[in-house]
Amino acid sequence: MNLFFEESGDFKVGAVLSEQGEAFQVETPSGKRTKVRARDVLLKFETPSPAELMAQAHTIAEEMDADFLWEVAGTEEFGAVELGTEYFGHAPKPQEAAGLLLKIASIPFYFHKKGKGRFKAAPAATLQAALAGLEKKKQQALVQAGYVEELKAGRLPAAMTSSVLQLLFKPDKNTIEYKALDAACNELQTSPQRLMLNVGGIASPKALHFSRFQYEQFPKGTGFPGISLPVAPELPLAKVQAFSIDDVTTTEIDDAFSVETLADGKLRIGIHIAAPALGIARDDAIDAIARARMSTVYMPGDKITMLPDELVERFTLAAGSARPALSLYATLDTSDWSVIATETVAEAVPMASNLRHNDLDALVTEENLATGSGEYAHKDDIAQLWQWAQVLEKARMVKRESFGLRPEQGNRVDFNFYVEDDVVTISRRKRGAPLDKIVAELMIFANSSWGKLMHEHGVPGIYRAQGGGNGNGWAARMQVRMQTHAAPHQGLGVDQYAWSTSPLRRYTDLVNQWQILACVKHGITAPLVATFKPKDADLFAIVSGFDSAYSAYNDFQNTMERYWCLRWLTQQDARQVDAVVLKDEVLRLVDIPLVIPMPGLQSLVRGTQVKLELLHWDEIDLTVQARLLEVIAVESTDVEDELEEDSEEDNEETSEPAAVPGSAVEVDASDFAAEPVAPDADPA
């Protein structure tokens, strides 16, 4: 005896070897033996053989007309033998009954299964809907196949033009466009990104990286809606001539300085910060824009500003007119450079000059400052600021050491990126040059002083704190964190540190400027009238939102800097390069800040200089393949010294590529100081 039975949703046949109760021991045509329950048996037959029956059943099933079979079935529930009798005009033979079951199973939209071997024809309306859906799928399959052929031929189907970014970064995998892209990639053995570049959906690897970031962070685009420009209130005119120190491409000029010798011989140094908070109110249209963006986004050769250009132009500290500013004045005794008093005022500050690093770095050196050599604008003022900056730095180092940290390393190197017409120039710049240090130390002084001012007035602010954190291990305890109350920043060596000196480009600084202005205007009643009251839940939401956005922006900046490093390799046709070991199996090139992991690299001491052969680099996935040629030097070098503190320190500086081609990294030295590396540490 032979059986036609159902197992795991499939129809099978086999010869019965034995029968025990409600089960059969069956051998299939392939020789496999299996146990079949009696309830799973659909047909019992003697002839033909199991293999012949299955072959004949498939042939019969293929010849059956589905529509006619559905009409014959009627509206009542039926079994295979009953329907077979109606369809064939006689009691079905085993192979005919088996073929009928195979056919019914292959057209489930015609018949609904009601039990083992029992079925019922689908209602006419249901069947028509199913057939329409089937026809639609057939047409879609034809369209999809056409898309696949176009992609394989190097053409982008017109239907995909408007959905390229979605297909790459957040695809709906049920669409025929995605299925076609996926199928074409599988056939061509490539990735969606590479295929889109090949067919012109994305113009270049640079556009790919930028488009990914924009799609995720700026899905509605980077443009600004129309705004009404605010009018700053009438302000007293400061009796100073201020000057700023920035990169040549800086447009968001946040900070400036003034130096005045008082009648009693004391020195009055002004730190002047652009004051957009005087024209922007919480929850107004411009605030909504700034809060949505949280920060200006920087990349080599370009930037996405936090605020519209026309508003930046109104508040930036551009030379030639008096600009709204929040000024911190420090009165100093130059015998020991101690701070006798400080004062914060909102005022209009006459801007005399916008000095640029590109013009002055070669002139304003430690040697020239010591001898008084060189001629440049505000020379005497800069010399005075340099004296105070050194005293400020020394005091911070004492404080830092009191926290148990080593002194900052002053010989680390930064890299400037200049991009013009898609050609990149990368230059090394040693950190701690006089102009950098002047701006850095005075901005740290301002951020710390204003953080103290808010704290003493009981006004909440947004602080950056480091040290004393929760968690296991040194790194966890030293993680830089943002919070709404004052706490030490041990890496900087200050008792509190509130970002307040870049309100044109960072939302946290704009928030803090509102709070500082409340302290200045209202004194002890400031907590009652400040923009953000104590325990304002919205302030915590801002901290969380800023952390998230700033992290994403930092990752993007790192991505674009890595891309431009690879472009530099291509431009230079760099095949052999010098590198230095950062740690096990991780190296960094000496001439550019490109980090290369090299799994399997022989064990080398940190700081070892080596020569590498670059075998291949990829501007799409940003990878580099290299091999070690030789070890150049194992002893300590300048590069090793530069790296010595990398595991412990980073800085509060944010490198900011400027907004126009032909730009350098636009450095806001307001945050230029070392701090231990942490998961949310700012990029060096």
Side-chain angles (χ1 to χ4, degrees), residues 342 445-459 463 486-487 495-498 500 516 519:
T342 60
F445 177 79
N447 285 326
S448 180
S449 297
W450 279 333
K452 182 180 180 181
L453 178 70
M454 289 188 289
H455 175 64
E456 290 177 343
H457 282 74
V459 172
Y463 294 84
D495 290 323
Q496 62 282 312
Y497 187 76
S500 312
I516 295 164
C519 296

Side-chain angles (χ1 to χ4, degrees), residues 50 72 75 78 86 106 181 184 196 237 277 303 307 383 386 405 411-412 417 438 471 507 564 602 684:
V72 170
T75 60
F78 61 86
E86 290 291 326
S106 70
L181 179 63
M196 278 299 181
L237 183 66
K303 66 180 175 183
L307 295 170
W386 171 241
L405 301 178
N411 55 354
R412 295 170 65 188
F417 290 74
I438 287 170
Y507 190 67
W564 284 111
Q602 67 187 73

Side-chain angles (χ1 to χ4, degrees), residues 619-637:
E619 295 175 7
I620 299 174
D621 60 22
L622 303 179
T623 57
V624 181
Q625 297 177 14
R627 71 183 183 92
L628 178 66
L629 289 179
E630 63 175 304
V631 176
I632 299 174
V634 178
E635 66 274 6
S636 296
T637 65

Side-chain angles (χ1 to χ4, degrees), residues 412 580-582 588 606-607 638-647:
R412 295 170 65 188
V580 62
V581 177
L582 297 183
R588 196 207 67 198
R606 177 183 175 85
D638 289 342
V639 177
E640 182 180 0
D641 293 338
E642 169 195 332
L643 298 171
E644 182 178 348
E645 298 293 330
D646 279 358
S647 63

